[in-house]
Amino acid sequence: MEGIVYLNGKLVPAEEAKLSPFDRGFLYGYGLFETMRSYNGRVFRLDRHLARLRRSAEMLALASKLEAYDLEQAIYDTLEANRLKDARIRLTVSAGIGERGLAPPSLGPLTVMVSAQKLDLPPPQVSRRGISAAIVSTRRNSLSPLSQIKATNYLDSFFALSQAMALGAEEAIMLNERGFIAECSTSNIFLVAKGQLLTPSVESGILPGITREAVLELARTLGIEALEGEIAVAQLFGAEEAFLTASVREIVPITSVDDRPIGSGRPGPVTKRLMAAYKELVEITTT
Protein backbone atom coordinates (compact mmCIF):
# COMPACT_ATOMS: atom_id res chain seq x y z
CA MET A 1 0.00 0.00 0.00
CA GLU A 2 1.42 3.35 -1.00
CA GLY A 3 1.55 6.56 0.95
CA ILE A 4 2.23 7.84 4.44
CA VAL A 5 -0.17 7.38 7.35
CA TYR A 6 -0.35 8.92 10.78
CA LEU A 7 -0.39 6.20 13.44
CA ASN A 8 -0.39 6.96 17.17
CA GLY A 9 1.59 10.17 16.92
CA LYS A 10 3.99 9.23 14.11
CA LEU A 11 4.02 9.47 10.33
CA VAL A 12 5.06 6.14 8.84
CA PRO A 13 4.98 4.47 5.40
CA ALA A 14 1.66 2.69 5.06
CA GLU A 15 3.32 -0.67 4.45
CA GLU A 16 5.14 -0.34 7.79
CA ALA A 17 2.07 0.62 9.83
CA LYS A 18 1.24 -2.16 12.29
CA LEU A 19 -1.74 -2.76 14.55
CA SER A 20 -1.91 -5.20 17.43
CA PRO A 21 -3.93 -8.37 16.80
CA PHE A 22 -5.51 -7.62 20.18
CA ASP A 23 -6.76 -4.16 19.22
CA ARG A 24 -10.43 -3.97 20.17
CA GLY A 25 -11.25 -2.13 16.98
CA PHE A 26 -10.15 -5.28 15.14
CA LEU A 27 -11.65 -7.76 17.60
CA TYR A 28 -14.99 -6.12 18.30
CA GLY A 29 -15.43 -3.21 15.89
CA TYR A 30 -14.98 -0.98 18.94
CA GLY A 31 -14.08 2.20 17.16
CA LEU A 32 -15.11 5.25 15.17
CA PHE A 33 -14.12 6.93 11.95
CA GLU A 34 -14.68 10.08 9.90
CA THR A 35 -14.29 10.40 6.15
CA MET A 36 -13.49 13.92 4.97
CA ARG A 37 -12.57 15.72 1.80
CA SER A 38 -9.90 18.36 1.32
CA TYR A 39 -10.00 21.05 -1.35
CA ASN A 40 -6.83 22.95 -2.21
CA GLY A 41 -5.20 21.66 0.97
CA ARG A 42 -8.06 22.60 3.33
CA VAL A 43 -10.48 20.10 4.84
CA PHE A 44 -14.10 21.14 4.34
CA ARG A 45 -15.92 21.55 7.66
CA LEU A 46 -13.19 19.82 9.62
CA ASP A 47 -14.50 21.33 12.84
CA ARG A 48 -17.90 19.64 12.28
CA HIS A 49 -16.29 16.27 11.59
CA LEU A 50 -14.17 16.45 14.74
CA ALA A 51 -17.13 17.59 16.83
CA ARG A 52 -19.17 14.62 15.62
CA LEU A 53 -16.28 12.27 16.35
CA ARG A 54 -15.95 13.62 19.89
CA ARG A 55 -19.69 13.29 20.54
CA SER A 56 -19.51 9.69 19.40
CA ALA A 57 -16.39 9.10 21.49
CA GLU A 58 -18.36 10.21 24.56
CA MET A 59 -20.92 7.48 23.83
CA LEU A 60 -18.16 4.86 23.57
CA ALA A 61 -16.27 6.01 26.69
CA LEU A 62 -13.26 7.03 24.57
CA ALA A 63 -13.46 10.82 24.84
CA SER A 64 -11.07 11.35 27.77
CA LYS A 65 -8.28 9.43 26.03
CA LEU A 66 -8.92 11.25 22.76
CA GLU A 67 -7.92 14.56 24.37
CA ALA A 68 -4.26 13.49 24.20
CA TYR A 69 -4.29 13.78 20.38
CA ASP A 70 -4.17 16.90 18.21
CA LEU A 71 -6.38 15.45 15.51
CA GLU A 72 -6.47 18.54 13.32
CA GLN A 73 -2.68 18.70 13.22
CA ALA A 74 -2.48 14.97 12.52
CA ILE A 75 -4.80 15.36 9.53
CA TYR A 76 -2.89 18.26 8.00
CA ASP A 77 0.47 16.58 8.67
CA THR A 78 -0.79 13.51 6.79
CA LEU A 79 -1.95 15.62 3.86
CA GLU A 80 1.41 17.35 3.69
CA ALA A 81 3.37 14.10 3.99
CA ASN A 82 1.46 12.70 1.02
CA ARG A 83 1.80 15.95 -0.96
CA LEU A 84 -1.95 16.09 -1.50
CA LYS A 85 -4.21 19.10 -1.88
CA ASP A 86 -7.44 17.47 -3.02
CA ALA A 87 -7.85 14.25 -1.12
CA ARG A 88 -10.08 11.73 0.59
CA ILE A 89 -9.10 11.56 4.25
CA ARG A 90 -10.03 8.95 6.82
CA LEU A 91 -9.53 9.38 10.55
CA THR A 92 -9.96 6.14 12.50
CA VAL A 93 -10.04 5.82 16.28
CA SER A 94 -10.29 2.47 18.04
CA ALA A 95 -10.32 1.48 21.70
CA GLY A 96 -6.85 -0.02 21.29
CA ILE A 97 -5.35 -2.80 23.36
CA GLY A 98 -6.88 -3.37 26.77
CA GLU A 99 -8.81 -5.73 28.96
CA ARG A 100 -10.44 -8.74 27.38
CA GLY A 101 -14.19 -8.71 27.09
CA LEU A 102 -16.77 -6.02 26.42
CA ALA A 103 -16.36 -3.76 29.45
CA PRO A 104 -15.60 -0.08 28.69
CA PRO A 105 -11.84 0.38 28.29
CA SER A 106 -9.77 1.58 31.24
CA LEU A 107 -6.29 0.37 30.31
CA GLY A 108 -4.06 1.23 27.38
CA PRO A 109 -4.03 4.06 24.84
CA LEU A 110 -6.30 4.41 21.85
CA THR A 111 -5.26 3.52 18.32
CA VAL A 112 -5.48 6.64 16.15
CA MET A 113 -4.77 6.50 12.42
CA VAL A 114 -5.12 9.03 9.60
CA SER A 115 -4.80 8.17 5.93
CA ALA A 116 -5.07 10.45 2.89
CA GLN A 117 -5.52 9.33 -0.69
CA LYS A 118 -5.92 11.01 -4.02
CA LEU A 119 -9.56 11.53 -4.91
CA ASP A 120 -11.01 8.90 -7.20
CA LEU A 121 -14.29 10.49 -8.26
CA PRO A 122 -16.82 9.27 -10.83
CA PRO A 123 -16.83 11.08 -14.19
CA PRO A 124 -18.83 14.35 -14.42
CA GLN A 125 -21.57 12.71 -16.47
CA VAL A 126 -22.67 10.79 -13.36
CA SER A 127 -23.84 14.06 -11.78
CA ARG A 128 -25.44 15.11 -15.05
CA ARG A 129 -27.46 11.91 -15.51
CA GLY A 130 -27.87 10.88 -11.87
CA ILE A 131 -27.63 7.39 -10.42
CA SER A 132 -29.96 4.46 -9.91
CA ALA A 133 -30.93 3.15 -6.49
CA ALA A 134 -32.80 0.19 -5.06
CA ILE A 135 -34.70 -0.24 -1.81
CA VAL A 136 -33.05 -3.16 -0.02
CA SER A 137 -34.08 -5.52 2.76
CA THR A 138 -31.27 -4.55 5.17
CA ARG A 139 -32.76 -2.17 7.74
CA ARG A 140 -31.48 0.62 9.92
CA ASN A 141 -32.48 0.24 13.57
CA SER A 142 -33.58 3.66 14.77
CA LEU A 143 -33.56 2.38 18.37
CA SER A 144 -29.86 1.51 18.26
CA PRO A 145 -27.33 4.15 19.35
CA LEU A 146 -25.10 2.85 16.54
CA SER A 147 -27.42 4.43 13.96
CA GLN A 148 -26.23 7.90 14.99
CA ILE A 149 -22.49 7.30 15.18
CA LYS A 150 -19.94 6.48 12.49
CA ALA A 151 -18.76 3.21 14.01
CA THR A 152 -16.11 1.03 12.39
CA ASN A 153 -18.61 -1.82 12.09
CA TYR A 154 -20.11 -1.06 8.68
CA LEU A 155 -21.52 -4.47 7.83
CA ASP A 156 -25.12 -3.26 7.47
CA SER A 157 -23.96 -0.78 4.84
CA PHE A 158 -21.88 -3.48 3.14
CA PHE A 159 -24.89 -5.81 2.96
CA ALA A 160 -27.15 -3.01 1.72
CA LEU A 161 -24.88 -1.92 -1.11
CA SER A 162 -24.19 -5.53 -2.11
CA GLN A 163 -27.94 -6.16 -2.36
CA ALA A 164 -28.45 -3.03 -4.45
CA MET A 165 -25.65 -3.94 -6.83
CA ALA A 166 -27.04 -7.45 -7.23
CA LEU A 167 -30.26 -5.78 -8.37
CA GLY A 168 -28.34 -3.75 -10.95
CA ALA A 169 -28.52 -0.47 -9.00
CA GLU A 170 -25.68 1.87 -8.09
CA GLU A 171 -26.85 2.74 -4.57
CA ALA A 172 -28.97 1.28 -1.78
CA ILE A 173 -31.85 2.93 0.05
CA MET A 174 -32.37 1.53 3.53
CA LEU A 175 -35.60 1.65 5.50
CA ASN A 176 -35.80 1.59 9.27
CA GLU A 177 -37.53 -1.06 11.37
CA ARG A 178 -40.86 0.82 11.02
CA GLY A 179 -40.67 0.83 7.22
CA PHE A 180 -39.82 4.52 6.78
CA ILE A 181 -36.92 5.72 4.65
CA ALA A 182 -33.69 6.12 6.62
CA GLU A 183 -30.64 6.66 4.40
CA CYS A 184 -28.44 5.27 1.66
CA SER A 185 -25.59 2.85 2.32
CA THR A 186 -23.03 5.56 3.15
CA SER A 187 -24.97 8.77 2.60
CA ASN A 188 -28.07 10.74 3.52
CA ILE A 189 -31.06 11.11 1.22
CA PHE A 190 -33.24 14.09 0.28
CA LEU A 191 -36.46 14.37 -1.71
CA VAL A 192 -38.09 17.34 -3.42
CA ALA A 193 -41.89 17.34 -3.35
CA LYS A 194 -44.10 20.30 -4.25
CA GLY A 195 -41.10 22.59 -3.95
CA GLN A 196 -40.27 21.44 -0.43
CA LEU A 197 -37.05 19.70 0.55
CA LEU A 198 -37.66 16.58 2.64
CA THR A 199 -35.12 14.46 4.50
CA PRO A 200 -35.42 11.75 7.17
CA SER A 201 -35.05 13.02 10.71
CA VAL A 202 -32.33 11.83 13.07
CA GLU A 203 -35.06 9.86 14.87
CA SER A 204 -35.51 7.82 11.68
CA GLY A 205 -32.23 6.06 12.43
CA ILE A 206 -29.78 8.07 10.34
CA LEU A 207 -26.24 9.27 10.79
CA PRO A 208 -26.47 13.08 10.93
CA GLY A 209 -24.20 13.84 8.00
CA ILE A 210 -21.91 16.86 7.69
CA THR A 211 -22.96 17.44 4.06
CA ARG A 212 -26.61 16.94 5.07
CA GLU A 213 -26.18 19.73 7.61
CA ALA A 214 -24.64 22.01 4.98
CA VAL A 215 -27.48 21.34 2.52
CA LEU A 216 -30.11 22.19 5.14
CA GLU A 217 -28.28 25.46 5.82
CA LEU A 218 -28.07 26.23 2.10
CA ALA A 219 -31.78 25.53 1.65
CA ARG A 220 -32.63 28.14 4.27
CA THR A 221 -30.30 30.64 2.58
CA LEU A 222 -31.92 29.99 -0.80
CA GLY A 223 -35.46 30.26 0.55
CA ILE A 224 -36.23 26.56 0.04
CA GLU A 225 -38.48 25.16 2.76
CA ALA A 226 -36.76 22.13 4.32
CA LEU A 227 -38.54 19.60 6.52
CA GLU A 228 -37.11 16.73 8.58
CA GLY A 229 -39.34 13.83 9.59
CA GLU A 230 -40.60 10.36 8.79
CA ILE A 231 -40.75 9.71 5.04
CA ALA A 232 -42.81 6.88 3.59
CA VAL A 233 -41.75 4.91 0.54
CA ALA A 234 -44.77 6.26 -1.34
CA GLN A 235 -43.41 9.78 -0.87
CA LEU A 236 -40.17 8.74 -2.56
CA PHE A 237 -41.97 7.41 -5.64
CA GLY A 238 -44.18 10.48 -5.73
CA ALA A 239 -41.27 12.92 -5.44
CA GLU A 240 -40.19 15.28 -8.20
CA GLU A 241 -36.50 14.90 -7.37
CA ALA A 242 -34.17 12.94 -5.11
CA PHE A 243 -30.49 13.15 -4.26
CA LEU A 244 -27.93 11.85 -1.80
CA THR A 245 -25.31 13.75 0.18
CA ALA A 246 -21.89 12.64 1.41
CA SER A 247 -18.62 14.38 2.24
CA VAL A 248 -16.59 12.90 -0.60
CA ARG A 249 -19.38 12.61 -3.20
CA GLU A 250 -21.00 15.97 -2.29
CA ILE A 251 -24.53 16.00 -3.86
CA VAL A 252 -25.49 13.27 -6.32
CA PRO A 253 -28.91 13.13 -8.04
CA ILE A 254 -30.91 9.90 -7.74
CA THR A 255 -32.95 9.59 -10.92
CA SER A 256 -34.45 6.11 -10.58
CA VAL A 257 -35.39 3.76 -7.75
CA ASP A 258 -36.28 0.11 -8.29
CA ASP A 259 -36.15 0.78 -12.06
CA ARG A 260 -38.83 3.47 -11.70
CA PRO A 261 -37.96 7.07 -12.63
CA ILE A 262 -38.05 9.74 -9.97
CA GLY A 263 -39.85 12.73 -11.43
CA SER A 264 -38.67 13.26 -14.99
CA GLY A 265 -35.90 10.69 -14.57
CA ARG A 266 -33.31 13.48 -14.81
CA PRO A 267 -31.64 15.73 -12.20
CA GLY A 268 -34.17 18.40 -11.25
CA PRO A 269 -33.89 22.17 -10.81
CA VAL A 270 -33.80 22.20 -7.01
CA THR A 271 -31.06 19.56 -6.95
CA LYS A 272 -29.04 21.51 -9.52
CA ARG A 273 -29.49 24.72 -7.56
CA LEU A 274 -28.25 23.10 -4.37
CA MET A 275 -25.33 21.46 -6.18
CA ALA A 276 -24.20 24.85 -7.47
CA ALA A 277 -24.65 26.48 -4.06
CA TYR A 278 -22.69 23.72 -2.37
CA LYS A 279 -19.78 24.12 -4.77
CA GLU A 280 -19.81 27.85 -4.11
CA LEU A 281 -19.82 27.24 -0.34
CA VAL A 282 -16.84 24.90 -0.68
CA GLU A 283 -14.94 27.43 -2.76
CA ILE A 284 -15.60 30.25 -0.30
CA THR A 285 -14.59 28.24 2.76
CA THR A 286 -11.53 26.45 1.37
CA THR A 287 -9.72 29.25 -0.47
Side-chain angles (χ1 to χ4, degrees), residues 53-54 57-58 62-71 93 110 112:
L53 181 78
R54 292 187 177 104
E58 290 279 359
L62 301 178
S64 60
K65 293 183 179 182
L66 199 58
E67 293 174 1
Y69 298 87
D70 187 338
L71 299 177
V93 176
L110 303 178
V112 177

mmCIF file of all heavy atoms in Angstrom, residues 53-54 57-58 62-71 93 110 112:
data_model
loop_
_atom_site.group_PDB
_atom_site.id
_atom_site.type_symbol
_atom_site.label_atom_id
_atom_site.label_comp_id
_atom_site.label_asym_id
_atom_site.label_seq_id
_atom_site.Cartn_x
_atom_site.Cartn_y
_atom_site.Cartn_z
ATOM 1 N N LEU A 53 -17.112 13.358 15.836
ATOM 2 C CA LEU A 53 -16.280 12.268 16.353
ATOM 3 C C LEU A 53 -16.223 12.316 17.870
ATOM 4 O O LEU A 53 -16.339 11.276 18.547
ATOM 5 C CB LEU A 53 -14.872 12.367 15.762
ATOM 6 C CG LEU A 53 -13.906 11.272 16.216
ATOM 7 C CD1 LEU A 53 -14.177 9.977 15.465
ATOM 8 C CD2 LEU A 53 -12.463 11.696 16.019
ATOM 9 N N ARG A 54 -16.058 13.503 18.424
ATOM 10 C CA ARG A 54 -15.947 13.620 19.890
ATOM 11 C C ARG A 54 -17.268 13.280 20.577
ATOM 12 O O ARG A 54 -17.274 12.666 21.653
ATOM 13 C CB ARG A 54 -15.457 15.018 20.252
ATOM 14 C CG ARG A 54 -14.002 15.264 19.827
ATOM 15 C CD ARG A 54 -13.465 16.591 20.334
ATOM 16 N NE ARG A 54 -12.060 16.745 19.973
ATOM 17 C CZ ARG A 54 -11.614 17.524 18.995
ATOM 18 N NH1 ARG A 54 -12.483 18.245 18.277
ATOM 19 N NH2 ARG A 54 -10.332 17.607 18.722
ATOM 20 N N ALA A 57 -17.371 9.641 20.544
ATOM 21 C CA ALA A 57 -16.388 9.104 21.494
ATOM 22 C C ALA A 57 -16.924 9.141 22.923
ATOM 23 O O ALA A 57 -16.629 8.249 23.734
ATOM 24 C CB ALA A 57 -15.084 9.892 21.392
ATOM 25 N N GLU A 58 -17.720 10.151 23.240
ATOM 26 C CA GLU A 58 -18.359 10.210 24.563
ATOM 27 C C GLU A 58 -19.253 8.993 24.765
ATOM 28 O O GLU A 58 -19.260 8.377 25.834
ATOM 29 C CB GLU A 58 -19.189 11.493 24.688
ATOM 30 C CG GLU A 58 -18.380 12.774 24.782
ATOM 31 C CD GLU A 58 -17.859 13.041 26.184
ATOM 32 O OE1 GLU A 58 -18.154 12.227 27.090
ATOM 33 O OE2 GLU A 58 -17.153 14.047 26.363
ATOM 34 N N LEU A 62 -14.609 6.840 25.106
ATOM 35 C CA LEU A 62 -13.262 7.032 24.570
ATOM 36 C C LEU A 62 -12.828 8.497 24.613
ATOM 37 O O LEU A 62 -11.672 8.804 24.311
ATOM 38 C CB LEU A 62 -13.196 6.555 23.109
ATOM 39 C CG LEU A 62 -13.559 5.091 22.834
ATOM 40 C CD1 LEU A 62 -13.483 4.820 21.336
ATOM 41 C CD2 LEU A 62 -12.655 4.148 23.605
ATOM 42 N N ALA A 63 -13.714 9.388 24.988
ATOM 43 C CA ALA A 63 -13.457 10.819 24.840
ATOM 44 C C ALA A 63 -12.276 11.305 25.668
ATOM 45 O O ALA A 63 -11.466 12.115 25.201
ATOM 46 C CB ALA A 63 -14.710 11.617 25.193
ATOM 47 N N SER A 64 -12.147 10.839 26.905
ATOM 48 C CA SER A 64 -11.073 11.348 27.770
ATOM 49 C C SER A 64 -9.697 10.998 27.204
ATOM 50 O O SER A 64 -8.766 11.809 27.265
ATOM 51 C CB SER A 64 -11.230 10.786 29.187
ATOM 52 O OG SER A 64 -11.163 9.368 29.170
ATOM 53 N N LYS A 65 -9.566 9.819 26.612
ATOM 54 C CA LYS A 65 -8.284 9.431 26.029
ATOM 55 C C LYS A 65 -8.014 10.165 24.715
ATOM 56 O O LYS A 65 -6.858 10.380 24.348
ATOM 57 C CB LYS A 65 -8.249 7.919 25.790
ATOM 58 C CG LYS A 65 -8.251 7.088 27.068
ATOM 59 C CD LYS A 65 -8.141 5.616 26.747
ATOM 60 C CE LYS A 65 -8.108 4.782 28.015
ATOM 61 N NZ LYS A 65 -7.961 3.338 27.713
ATOM 62 N N LEU A 66 -9.070 10.570 24.047
ATOM 63 C CA LEU A 66 -8.921 11.251 22.765
ATOM 64 C C LEU A 66 -8.313 12.641 22.936
ATOM 65 O O LEU A 66 -7.715 13.179 22.009
ATOM 66 C CB LEU A 66 -10.284 11.348 22.083
ATOM 67 C CG LEU A 66 -10.330 11.608 20.577
ATOM 68 C CD1 LEU A 66 -9.567 10.533 19.818
ATOM 69 C CD2 LEU A 66 -11.780 11.662 20.105
ATOM 70 N N GLU A 67 -8.448 13.209 24.119
ATOM 71 C CA GLU A 67 -7.923 14.556 24.375
ATOM 72 C C GLU A 67 -6.408 14.630 24.224
ATOM 73 O O GLU A 67 -5.850 15.710 24.038
ATOM 74 C CB GLU A 67 -8.329 15.007 25.778
ATOM 75 C CG GLU A 67 -9.837 15.217 25.931
ATOM 76 C CD GLU A 67 -10.231 15.532 27.364
ATOM 77 O OE1 GLU A 67 -9.311 15.605 28.222
ATOM 78 O OE2 GLU A 67 -11.435 15.701 27.631
ATOM 79 N N ALA A 68 -5.728 13.506 24.296
ATOM 80 C CA ALA A 68 -4.262 13.491 24.197
ATOM 81 C C ALA A 68 -3.777 13.718 22.767
ATOM 82 O O ALA A 68 -2.573 13.926 22.548
ATOM 83 C CB ALA A 68 -3.721 12.154 24.718
ATOM 84 N N TYR A 69 -4.682 13.704 21.793
ATOM 85 C CA TYR A 69 -4.286 13.785 20.383
ATOM 86 C C TYR A 69 -4.723 15.106 19.770
ATOM 87 O O TYR A 69 -5.858 15.542 19.964
ATOM 88 C CB TYR A 69 -4.905 12.628 19.593
ATOM 89 C CG TYR A 69 -4.465 11.263 20.054
ATOM 90 C CD1 TYR A 69 -5.138 10.618 21.092
ATOM 91 C CD2 TYR A 69 -3.374 10.634 19.474
ATOM 92 C CE1 TYR A 69 -4.735 9.370 21.539
ATOM 93 C CE2 TYR A 69 -2.967 9.384 19.904
ATOM 94 C CZ TYR A 69 -3.643 8.757 20.945
ATOM 95 O OH TYR A 69 -3.240 7.526 21.382
ATOM 96 N N ASP A 70 -3.833 15.725 19.009
ATOM 97 C CA ASP A 70 -4.168 16.901 18.214
ATOM 98 C C ASP A 70 -4.601 16.386 16.851
ATOM 99 O O ASP A 70 -3.785 16.230 15.928
ATOM 100 C CB ASP A 70 -2.967 17.841 18.095
ATOM 101 C CG ASP A 70 -3.316 19.152 17.419
ATOM 102 O OD1 ASP A 70 -4.322 19.199 16.679
ATOM 103 O OD2 ASP A 70 -2.566 20.129 17.600
ATOM 104 N N LEU A 71 -5.877 16.105 16.718
ATOM 105 C CA LEU A 71 -6.380 15.446 15.511
ATOM 106 C C LEU A 71 -6.298 16.346 14.284
ATOM 107 O O LEU A 71 -5.987 15.874 13.188
ATOM 108 C CB LEU A 71 -7.822 14.991 15.744
ATOM 109 C CG LEU A 71 -8.021 13.979 16.878
ATOM 110 C CD1 LEU A 71 -9.504 13.669 17.057
ATOM 111 C CD2 LEU A 71 -7.238 12.703 16.615
ATOM 112 N N VAL A 93 -10.376 5.893 14.858
ATOM 113 C CA VAL A 93 -10.041 5.815 16.279
ATOM 114 C C VAL A 93 -10.613 4.519 16.828
ATOM 115 O O VAL A 93 -11.819 4.264 16.692
ATOM 116 C CB VAL A 93 -10.633 7.000 17.070
ATOM 117 C CG1 VAL A 93 -10.363 6.847 18.558
ATOM 118 C CG2 VAL A 93 -10.084 8.319 16.556
ATOM 119 N N LEU A 110 -5.516 4.650 23.057
ATOM 120 C CA LEU A 110 -6.299 4.413 21.852
ATOM 121 C C LEU A 110 -5.374 4.100 20.683
ATOM 122 O O LEU A 110 -4.166 4.328 20.743
ATOM 123 C CB LEU A 110 -7.110 5.661 21.498
ATOM 124 C CG LEU A 110 -8.072 6.204 22.542
ATOM 125 C CD1 LEU A 110 -8.744 7.473 22.020
ATOM 126 C CD2 LEU A 110 -9.122 5.165 22.910
ATOM 127 N N VAL A 112 -5.018 5.527 16.976
ATOM 128 C CA VAL A 112 -5.475 6.639 16.145
ATOM 129 C C VAL A 112 -4.702 6.610 14.839
ATOM 130 O O VAL A 112 -3.462 6.618 14.836
ATOM 131 C CB VAL A 112 -5.265 7.993 16.858
ATOM 132 C CG1 VAL A 112 -5.685 9.149 15.944
ATOM 133 C CG2 VAL A 112 -6.056 8.036 18.156
#
